[in-house]
Amino acid sequence: CGVFGAVGVADAASFIALGLHALQHRGQEAGGIVTYDTEAGFQSARRFGYVRDNFTSQKVMETLPGPIGIGHVRYSTAGSKGNTAIRDVQPFFGEFAMGGAAIAHNGNITNAVALRRELIERGSIFQSSSDSECIIHLMARSLQRNIPERMKDALRRVEGAFSVVAMTRTKLIGVRDPRGVRPLVLGKVGDKGYVLSSETCALDIIGAEFVREIEPGEMVVISDGKVQSSKPFEPKPSRFCIFEHVYFSRPDSILEGRSVYETRRQIGVELAIEAPVEADLVCPVPDSGTPAAIGYAFQSGIPYGMGIIRNQYMGRTFIEPSEQIRNMGVRLKLNVNRALIRDKRIILVDDSVVRGTTSQKIKDMLLDAGAAEVHFRIASPPTMWPCFYGVDTPDRDKLLAAYMSVEQMRVHLGVDSLQFISLDGLYRAAGVAEGRDANAPRYCDACFSGEYPVVPSDMIDKGFKL
Ligand code: 5GP
Ligand code: SF4
Ligand code: MG
């Protein structure tokens, strides 16, 4: 998901709509905005579909006045795929003794089932099926006298990954979980305006200046042009999601001071060193494989070409929650550039193999178009484990790499060769020169290593085995 908040600006909702539009790649299912204005009070609009289709009309934007607000773009994670109800669309709003608050959450709470059970037993009335709603109920039960303190109480009980943007009538609040699994950055607009955003690309669209990242375990409370920082949690080693660098974030964003594009290009360089092959053309699976393919071509000296053309008017296939649509999606979205492919030995570069459906179809399309050979190179290690921290990987039994060796996958996909970047190579590309330190990995890489930095306790209760 993507989160964005603004405070101290003339019309917060218009900034938020633009910010969410720049974060649309983080979630395309639905979006919502909440604002506060002294006359209108709290207002909210939550809709299915793209930001550009919902939050551009004057009719909707007029209903969201005020100098402060937050927004969310949703991509449903495990549990709620395909049947999101509008009541699951964030931000969530709650009215407490000291006024209302709204929250928008990116990540996934790994003890949400247990928390929900406990809260329901104690009388909480849940409105949605979302894990994030627990935060509101925990806040409502806190005995603290102001909302930021209530939020600290609530988030201390929450396990897992969270980058949260929240608001009261006057304060914009941003928090990252102690490991900082998901990103969150602070930007400045004008004299007194501040914004919080999942990624820096959303600062660029509104001309905001990048101030800094919110640190793992940090809470910022912003009002009257001032940013107050605190560290409410027990410190933990930071474990940022390495897959943000590989796939999830936009290539024009800066994460941890590093250009996402440059990291991806460098993954391609590492791949060409680790997994060379004789061929005529390096082609990305657009757009997710493009920077790595550029790096591979650069390092290998093999020409780069657009062997597959993407229809710009389709969304990301993977994020479509139903399997049927996802299966159709590949052809709707990608087509082979026949004239370029014919009789050539192709190195096909993509960011990841999950179920293997995309890769298989693309390979078929390349062979139909007369490719002589297809060598598949993947910019991440085999995805063997599900993510429980906010990226929608399917159950373990649907992950190709969970039940097949690389050679079995090669045969299954029907390609001439298949190689994945090593975890060490990925770490090097992400700027860790010495590779992955097995005793203290710098990143979360659980979907590749199976080493979960936060015990996924709800999933273990449901029978998941580490
Ligand atoms: P597959 O067809 O192997 O199941 O899907 C892999 C493709 O899905 C890759 O091209 C990747 O760009 C895309 N993708 C979209 N969202 C995700 C995600 O959340 N996780 C992973 N690993 N890949 C994703
Ligand atoms: Fe990121 Fe993978 Fe960790 Fe999920 S399991 S947070 S996708 S590195
Ligand atoms: Mg892709």
Side-chain angles (χ1 to χ4, degrees), residues 75 243 247-248 285 288 316 318-319 350-359 383 391-393:
Y75 139 68
F243 198 59
Y247 171 82
F248 212 61
V285 178
S288 56
R316 283 185 168 190
F318 194 100
I319 280 174
D350 201 0
D351 65 283
S352 55
V353 173
V354 182
R355 297 176 183 77
T357 42
T358 319
S359 337
T383 303
V391 168
D392 180 24
T393 32

Side-chain angles (χ1 to χ4, degrees), residues 171-250:
K171 297 184 177 81
L172 179 67
I173 304 168
V175 198
R176 272 178 94 191
D177 68 76
R179 294 170 187 83
V181 176
R182 305 256 77 92
L184 190 65
V185 301
L186 176 68
K188 196 166 192 305
V189 265
D191 287 344
K192 283 187 119 185
Y194 279 97
V195 294
L196 290 165
S197 171
S198 292
E199 290 179 42
T200 61
C201 64
L203 304 183
D204 301 337
I205 193 174
I206 58 162
E209 175 197 334
F210 171 74
V211 177
R212 64 180 179 86
E213 299 200 349
I214 305 306
E215 287 170 33
E218 184 185 18
M219 173 186 273
V220 291
V221 179
I222 311 167
S223 65
D224 296 327
K226 285 191 277 300
V227 180
Q228 277 178 325
S229 163
S230 61
K231 288 274 177 93
F233 312 107
E234 201 184 295
K236 297 265 164 42
S238 121
R239 299 293 291 274
F240 185 63
C241 166
I242 201 160
F243 198 59
E244 291 273 354
H245 284 294
V246 174
Y247 171 82
F248 212 61
S249 290
R250 234 169 72 164

Side-chain angles (χ1 to χ4, degrees), residues 355-356 360 363 400 404 407-414:
R355 297 176 183 77
Q360 208 169 16
K363 181 271 311 180
L400 206 60
M404 284 188 192
E407 172 57 16
Q408 285 170 325
M409 283 193 269
R410 185 195 69 74
V411 173
H412 173 83
L413 297 174

